[in-house]
Amino acid sequence: MIEIWYALVALSLIAFAVNDGRNFGVGALLHALGYNAGERRAIMGLIESSWSWDEVWLVAAFGSLFLAFPKVLAIGLSGYYLAVFLLLWSLIVRGIALEMAAHVEDALWRGFWDALVTLASILLAIFFGAAFGNVVRGVPLGADGRMFLPFFTDFSARGTVGILDWYTILVALFTLALLAAHGATFVAHRATGAIAERANRAARRAWWVVLALLPVVSSGTRLVRPDFFTGIIHHAPAWPALLAIVLGLGAVFLGLRQGMERIAWIGSCWCIAGLLGGAAASIFPVMLRSTIMPAYSVTAYGGATARYGLGIALVWWPIAAALGICYWRIVARRYQARMPS
């Protein structure tokens, strides 16, 4: 039962990363792909219909954590108090900027809101990347089961760590490059004309950056958490994730080179899903790893709610998920046409 709920949380976060991560990437490259207000308006039109729905997956992930792993959520929210507020403000600013840019006519104000979309999207990619780095690296969880993370301490990834250190910054930069590549691939798939050509070039460059950073991040992960890759070997669910990464990267480069942008887009989605799915399988059952002493870590079994409650909630979760997926498909099919040239 606990394993099922852990998988549901992971799947919700993967869905959020694939869908809203695309929007972060599109927003981050908005001014690089759109040379004027009209082109930027067309590019933002690709994500305006779905960005608010894509954030529902984040709500689903936190809702599942609250239901199934309340201890993990309580420790995490209190420890990351400052970071959570920064993240929420960035999400709010991006949402307001997307809506305002679609409704104002004044060129100066539209330029202002477009710039906010780009800034907020870059910050969100960095923040979520740093958060993922914190999960992999661990947190300064003490014997009392509490923690608090300042923004940084001595930039060491061991002992009493902060939110930012050399490793979490590295993961944040990798995430920014990955989501920028993801967003550019999406625009190349959905756009036409000059915008599609620019997006294709940007995607190829960004994916080469991702490919160059991947072994660097992997080496850093091995230094910070030596048991990470051992976990991949011993947890069978991580094996399909590794295959998804390899096949996804192959599809991306083949699709972009051969002009098969749809294949590249599917490969991009599989690559991100594989990276997150492999990481989730590798670290299980530890959900909050203590950088002070491994014995202080919180596992899925130690942080879960009563088994009876998990069983009752499992009846309702598939119903809610089915309704959500149906609505997502309706929105996706309604706005799947390419933008005009």
Side-chain angles (χ1 to χ4, degrees):
M1 189 69 67
I2 291 175
E3 294 84 353
I4 293 175
W5 276 103
Y6 182 87
L8 291 176
V9 172
L11 288 173
S12 298
L13 290 174
I14 289 171
F16 171 73
V18 169
N19 289 284
D20 214 20
R22 166 203 64 194
N23 301 335
F24 297 161
V26 172
L29 295 175
L30 181 61
H31 289 77
L33 302 180
Y35 289 174
N36 55 57
E39 290 183 341
R40 290 193 290 272
R41 179 81 259 123
I43 292 170
M44 282 199 292
L46 295 174
I47 63 174
E48 282 174 349
S49 62
S50 63
W51 71 267
S52 57
W53 160 245
D54 293 332
E55 291 184 356
V56 171
W57 290 110
L58 184 63
V59 177
F62 275 90
S64 298
L65 275 174
F66 177 75
L67 188 152
F69 306 104
K71 181 178 179 180
V72 175
L73 185 63
I75 295 173
L77 287 181
S78 62
Y80 287 104
Y81 186 81
L82 298 176
V84 168
F85 268 88
L86 283 177
L87 185 63
L88 288 176
W89 274 107
S90 296
L91 287 169
I92 291 169
V93 168
R94 186 192 64 142
I96 293 174
L98 281 168
E99 293 298 324
M100 292 300 296
H103 292 92
V104 298
E105 298 296 334
D106 183 80
L108 183 62
W109 275 109
R110 178 170 288 181
F112 170 75
W113 293 116
D114 286 350
L116 274 187
V117 169
T118 298
L119 176 62
S121 298
I122 292 173
L123 289 177
L124 283 167
I126 291 173
F127 289 161
F128 278 108
F132 181 69
N134 274 259
V135 171
V136 174
R137 177 205 63 192
V139 294
L141 195 60
D144 58 357
R146 297 181 180 181
M147 67 169 187
F148 176 78
L149 282 86
F151 283 116
F152 58 88
T153 52
D154 56 359
F155 283 91
S156 169
R158 300 179 184 276
T160 307
V161 295
I163 296 173
L164 298 178
D165 55 40
W166 67 267
Y167 176 73
T168 56
I169 292 174
L170 176 61
V171 176
L173 294 176
F174 173 78
T175 304
L176 177 59
L178 178 63
L179 295 185
H182 190 52
T185 306
F186 173 73
V187 176
H189 166 50
R190 291 286 299 277
T192 58
I195 295 177
E197 293 175 3
R198 287 182 217 135
N200 188 290
R201 289 195 300 269
R204 281 185 285 177
R205 292 168 183 167
W207 278 110
W208 278 114
V209 173
V210 170
L211 200 61
L213 286 177
L214 185 57
V216 178
V217 174
S218 299
S219 299
T221 302
R222 186 175 180 83
L223 289 174
V224 169
R225 189 163 184 169
D227 62 342
F228 183 85
F229 293 100
T230 304
I232 292 178
I233 296 173
H234 290 95
H235 293 111
W239 303 344
L242 292 179
L243 182 62
I245 296 171
V246 174
L247 294 180
L249 286 172
V252 164
F253 284 100
L254 176 64
L256 292 175
R257 180 182 294 274
Q258 299 297 327
M260 298 183 293
E261 285 81 7
R262 179 176 176 79
I263 298 298
W265 167 241
I266 294 173
S268 180
C269 295
W270 277 107
C271 182
I272 292 177
L275 286 168
L276 290 177
S282 172
I283 65 177
F284 181 81
V286 178
M287 298 186 73
L288 289 175
R289 174 179 180 263
S290 174
T291 57
I292 296 176
M293 184 175 293
Y296 299 155
S297 301
V298 177
T299 67
Y301 301 104
T305 191
R307 190 177 183 85
Y308 174 78
L310 295 179
I312 295 297
L314 195 59
V315 176
W316 295 101
W317 202 98
I319 298 174
L323 292 173
I325 292 172
C326 287
Y327 176 72
W328 172 74
R329 286 298 301 159
I330 291 172
V331 172
R333 293 186 65 179
R334 172 65 178 82
Y335 296 98
Q336 68 180 353
R338 288 172 176 258
M339 70 167 65
S341 303

